């Protein structure tokens, strides 16, 4: 359910990166060129989120108009929530969160049981949790926001979450605002369910960059940029198949 670009092969990122970034950054994380590069990447991520907002809202509204099955309606709305929570007025976000549960209440008992058996609605629950974290953060309630962030990954037995990983857009946002501890806590908690060589490599790189005070995208491309910063980390891309 997450739109995390870490699902795209690393080789593609290498091509994209070489076309847009400097060959190296002699001043490491403090290099002015790296700062400019990251500002561009953050702007691109913001623009992408706005596109996803429009696309996901259209998909949700289409699923309603076509009277598609309730599972798909819930899925489309929960996918949209993560973007609505960033851009919509807070009362509208709250209404959309309520609508997710209203749609779920309309499922028959058999449908609810089937949904629990398949994946316990874990991806949808995660999306709602991330949306609540955004809302609390926008309201200035940081304690609640970070609690919602961590609670959003409580469903550690999810097949989808285990395969594709959790959301990192909110993490990127709060890290840019200087909130490091909840980011590190989130990374640690993902170890309970997001396992394997790729997730371990990403967490290793992100922690190294955080320790060095670097700007971080929380994206697979960080495994390439980290080598340009001279942080003395191992090249995680050499130990895995990038194709």
């Amino acid at each position: 359910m997450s739109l995390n670009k870490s699902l795209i092969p690393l080789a593609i990122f290498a091509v994209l990166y070489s076309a847009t970034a400097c060959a190296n950054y002699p001043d490491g994380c403090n290099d002015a060129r790296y700062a400019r590069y990251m500002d561009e990447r953050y702007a691109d991520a913001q623009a992408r989120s706005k596109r996803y907002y429009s696309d996901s809202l259209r998909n949700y509204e289409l699923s309603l108009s076509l009277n598609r099955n309730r599972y798909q309606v819930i899925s489309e709305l929960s996918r949209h929530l993560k973007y609505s929570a960033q851009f919509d007025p807070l009362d509208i976000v709250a209404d959309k969160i309520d609508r997710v549960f209203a749609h779920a209440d309309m499922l028959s008992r058999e449908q609810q049981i089937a949904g629990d058996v398949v994946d316990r609605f874990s991806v949808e629950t995660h999306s709602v949790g991330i949306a609540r974290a955004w809302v609390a953060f926008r309201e200035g309630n940081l304690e609640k926001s970070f609690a919602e962030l961590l609670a959003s990954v409580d469903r550690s037995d999810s097949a989808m979450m285990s395969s594709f990983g959790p959301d990192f857009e909110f993490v990127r946002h709060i890290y840019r605002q200087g909130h490091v501890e909840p980011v590190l806590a989130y990374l640690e908690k993902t170890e309970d369910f997001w396992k394997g060589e790729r997730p371990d490599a990403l967490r290793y790189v992100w922690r190294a960059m955080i320790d060095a005070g670097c700007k971080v995208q929380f994206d697979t491309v960080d495994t390439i940029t980290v080598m340009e910063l001279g942080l003395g980390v191992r090249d995680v891309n050499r130990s895995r198949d990038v194709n």
Side-chain angles (χ1 to χ4, degrees):
M1 190 64 62
S2 172
L3 296 170
N4 192 325
K5 281 175 32 181
S6 62
L7 301 179
I8 301 176
L10 286 168
I12 296 177
F13 275 114
V15 173
L16 293 176
Y17 180 78
S18 63
T20 58
C22 302
N24 57 67
Y25 303 103
D27 295 327
C29 298
N30 296 319
D31 195 294
R33 291 175 298 172
Y34 182 66
R36 288 195 297 271
Y37 165 70
M38 288 298 292
D39 286 344
E40 292 173 0
R41 294 290 297 183
Y42 289 145
D44 288 345
Q46 180 80 348
R48 186 169 59 247
S49 290
K50 289 181 178 179
R51 291 195 302 273
Y52 288 157
Y53 169 92
S54 299
D55 292 346
S56 60
L57 178 59
R58 181 171 58 251
N59 290 340
Y60 166 61
E61 292 175 340
L62 182 62
S63 68
L64 278 179
S65 67
L66 296 179
N67 197 28
R68 290 177 175 164
N69 72 73
R70 194 65 56 181
Y71 292 127
Q72 185 168 355
V73 172
I74 294 171
S75 177
E76 298 290 2
L77 179 54
S78 63
R79 183 182 294 113
H80 171 67
L81 267 183
K82 294 187 293 182
Y83 307 106
S84 171
Q86 299 178 48
F87 305 116
D88 275 332
L90 294 179
D91 60 329
I92 292 178
V93 181
D95 176 69
K96 289 178 179 178
I97 291 174
D98 288 343
R99 265 191 267 169
V100 170
F101 293 102
H103 288 308
D105 288 342
M106 295 175 68
L107 293 171
S108 67
R109 178 61 178 167
E110 290 76 14
Q111 289 174 320
Q112 292 180 17
I113 293 173
D116 282 338
V117 168
V118 172
D119 207 40
R120 299 179 62 200
F121 295 105
S122 56
V123 174
E124 292 77 12
T125 300
H126 179 56
S127 296
V128 170
I130 292 296
R132 286 171 168 165
W134 274 106
V135 168
F137 190 86
R138 290 175 60 188
E139 291 174 334
N141 190 337
L142 300 184
E143 182 178 358
K144 180 179 179 182
S145 176
F146 302 151
E148 292 285 5
L149 172 66
L150 297 181
S152 75
V153 287
D154 278 344
R155 289 287 180 90
S156 59
D157 60 346
S158 162
M160 290 288 288
M161 295 276 286
S162 298
S163 298
F164 300 118
D167 177 82
F168 280 97
E169 288 200 47
F170 181 68
V171 164
R172 183 193 305 123
H173 180 75
I174 63 174
Y175 180 75
R176 290 185 67 194
Q177 301 297 315
H179 302 289
V180 175
E181 291 305 317
V183 171
L184 291 173
Y186 187 74
L187 290 180
E188 182 177 2
K189 200 165 185 180
T190 66
E191 293 177 1
D192 294 338
F193 63 92
W194 195 33
K195 302 176 184 292
E197 184 180 357
R198 180 178 66 90
D200 287 345
L202 289 171
R203 282 186 290 258
Y204 166 75
V205 166
W206 292 335
R207 284 165 173 156
M209 296 179 78
I210 291 170
D211 287 345
C214 297
K215 292 185 176 182
V216 186
Q217 297 178 58
F218 294 99
D219 202 320
T220 303
V221 75
D222 289 319
T223 65
I224 300 170
T225 59
V226 71
M227 302 307 298
E228 306 285 338
L229 295 170
L231 301 186
V233 300
R234 72 176 187 273
D235 186 351
V236 298
N237 294 328
R238 288 185 177 274
S239 62
R240 54 176 288 116
D241 180 6
V242 299
N243 296 315

